[in-house]
Amino acid sequence: APCCSPSGRAHAMMKYVRTMLRAFGWGVYDSLQFHRTVIFLVVSSRIRRNTLMCVFLNGLVFIGSYYMLDFIVLPLLRLIITFDLDPSAGEDEKILGEETSKFLVDKVFFWLYHTFWLYPIYALSNIISAIWYQGIVDATYDLIHDKNIGRVEKISFVVEKFYYFFLTIGFYIQMFLVTFIPIVGDFICFVHVCWLYSLYSFDYKWDKQGRKLTERLQYFERRWPYFLGFGFPISAVSLYFPFLVKYGLYALTAPLFIMLAIMAEPVEISDGPDKQSRARGENLVLRLPIYWFPGKCADYAAICCCGKSSEH
């Protein structure tokens, strides 16, 4: 058969690669349509207010506090403590005093600043930002979708959130483990970051639609090139920043990506010419079990907490 010949296999492989790249490209394209969010910011005072509060908390307060430590607080403390050294002290005492002051500023105060200021803001931002994001989702849906949308039962919703928490921990563990893969470990970790940001953006939409967690993950795994592309821009921008700054960058831009996710429609890929103009990612792309290991971690946590595996 032609498909079994070397040239046939090469053609099929090239078609598969083109399909993945096309899906990836549509994801990048959809995530950069920021002009489409302007109308929501203009029309809805709730969206505008919540977005501005996200920018203020995560941008000015959180990221500002991080860099204020490096560029203002620590240099000022070093200057003050240096001036406070006794000029009449001996050379050995001066060296010891300088080392002690450096340890106090660069280690002790650095740790105290992170423990009692940055990390509390980080925790507070996670909670408050999630509330603001939900308000943005609700307001966006009121503008462009039917308000009579699906919703899972309250008990099922709580169980899924509990399971989703352990699933996220499992995904972070998987991200950590892939970094040990020689040569390509860091690249695979970056791919995971893209998927993570993309899932965060779409999860509010799927939650609003009442989709069960199993359905969300299957949908995600079938369209993994598209979601890789959707999360790529913000991941690339934050690639070389420290962890806390990465979080702050996503948190302050999340309102835009959440609105873009609500408007995005990752449609299926098919062999038919009628869908080639808007091919984004399923039938010709094999399902990638991205959440197999995180799912096992979440199942184990459910067994430990509840005595049985969760039917997510």
Side-chain angles (χ1 to χ4, degrees):
C3 63
C4 296
S5 65
S7 60
R9 289 194 296 269
H11 176 74
M13 179 60 68
M14 289 300 298
K15 186 177 181 180
Y16 185 76
V17 172
R18 286 197 302 268
T19 300
M20 289 191 298
L21 292 177
R22 188 165 58 244
F24 174 84
W26 276 120
V28 174
Y29 176 82
D30 283 348
S31 70
L32 295 177
Q33 301 299 297
F34 297 116
H35 63 278
R36 300 182 65 190
T37 65
V38 173
I39 184 64
F40 301 115
L41 293 170
V42 173
V43 172
S44 173
S45 60
R46 185 180 185 185
I47 294 177
R48 186 168 58 251
R49 180 179 63 253
N50 286 16
T51 300
L52 290 175
M53 288 191 296
C54 283
V55 172
F56 175 78
L57 176 60
N58 298 296
L60 295 179
V61 177
F62 186 65
I63 297 180
S65 295
Y66 184 92
Y67 285 110
M68 184 176 69
L69 174 67
D70 288 335
F71 294 104
I72 299 178
V73 177
L74 291 183
L76 186 61
L77 284 176
R78 294 190 192 105
L79 186 64
I80 293 173
I81 294 179
T82 299
F83 276 126
D84 282 345
L85 292 175
D86 188 358
S88 62
E91 189 66 26
D92 293 339
E93 292 179 349
K94 286 184 178 180
I95 294 175
L96 178 61
E98 289 174 357
E99 291 179 351
T100 302
S101 63
K102 184 177 180 180
F103 173 79
L104 290 174
V105 173
D106 294 346
K107 300 296 183 180
V108 176
F109 185 82
F110 181 89
W111 179 83
L112 291 174
Y113 189 89
H114 277 70
T115 302
F116 295 103
W117 181 246
L118 285 181
Y119 289 129
I121 296 178
Y122 170 74
L124 184 66
S125 172
N126 272 279
I127 298 172
I128 297 179
S129 295
I131 298 173
W132 290 338
Y133 299 157
Q134 190 60 56
I136 291 172
V137 172
D138 294 339
T140 305
Y141 259 86
D142 289 345
L143 292 174
I144 64 175
H145 286 291
D146 183 3
K147 297 180 183 179
N148 298 318
I149 54 179
R151 187 71 178 186
V152 294
E153 295 180 2
K154 187 171 293 186
I155 295 178
S156 176
F157 175 78
V158 173
V159 171
E160 283 199 351
K161 287 298 182 183
F162 179 76
Y163 186 88
Y164 184 77
F165 171 76
F166 291 111
L167 187 78
T168 304
I169 293 177
F171 192 82
Y172 274 110
I173 294 174
Q174 181 171 285
M175 286 177 58
F176 172 73
L177 293 177
V178 298
T179 59
F180 292 99
I181 300 176
I183 302 175
V184 297
D186 289 339
F187 173 76
I188 298 177
C189 182
F190 173 75
V191 169
H192 277 68
V193 173
C194 295
W195 282 329
L196 187 65
Y197 286 157
S198 190
L199 180 65
Y200 282 164
S201 300
F202 278 85
D203 201 48
Y204 285 93
K205 172 183 179 178
W206 296 333
D207 180 49
K208 188 72 174 178
Q209 292 174 338
R211 292 192 179 191
K212 292 186 177 181
L213 183 58
T214 304
E215 182 184 355
R216 302 183 202 182
L217 299 182
Q218 291 176 352
Y219 185 90
F220 194 96
E221 291 177 339
R222 292 193 191 101
R223 296 165 174 82
W224 61 268
Y226 173 86
F227 292 112
L228 175 62
F230 192 91
F232 177 79
I234 183 61
S235 302
V237 169
S238 61
L239 180 61
Y240 296 104
F241 288 101
F243 169 76
L244 292 177
V245 178
K246 286 182 181 179
Y247 165 79
L249 286 173
Y250 175 77
L252 70 90
T253 57
L256 302 180
F257 288 108
I258 290 172
M259 286 186 277
L260 291 173
I262 291 175
M263 292 183 284
E265 292 294 338
V267 299
E268 299 178 0
I269 281 184
S270 78
D271 290 312
D274 56 321
K275 290 188 178 181
Q276 289 299 316
S277 61
R278 213 33 194 170
R280 295 195 186 181
E282 182 175 358
N283 292 344
L284 294 182
V285 176
L286 296 176
R287 177 181 174 184
L288 191 65
I290 303 167
Y291 284 94
W292 180 85
F293 176 77
K296 293 298 182 182
C297 293
D299 285 340
Y300 179 77
I303 292 173
C304 293
C305 296
C306 307
K308 60 180 180 179
S309 178
S310 172
E311 293 292 337
H312 65 287

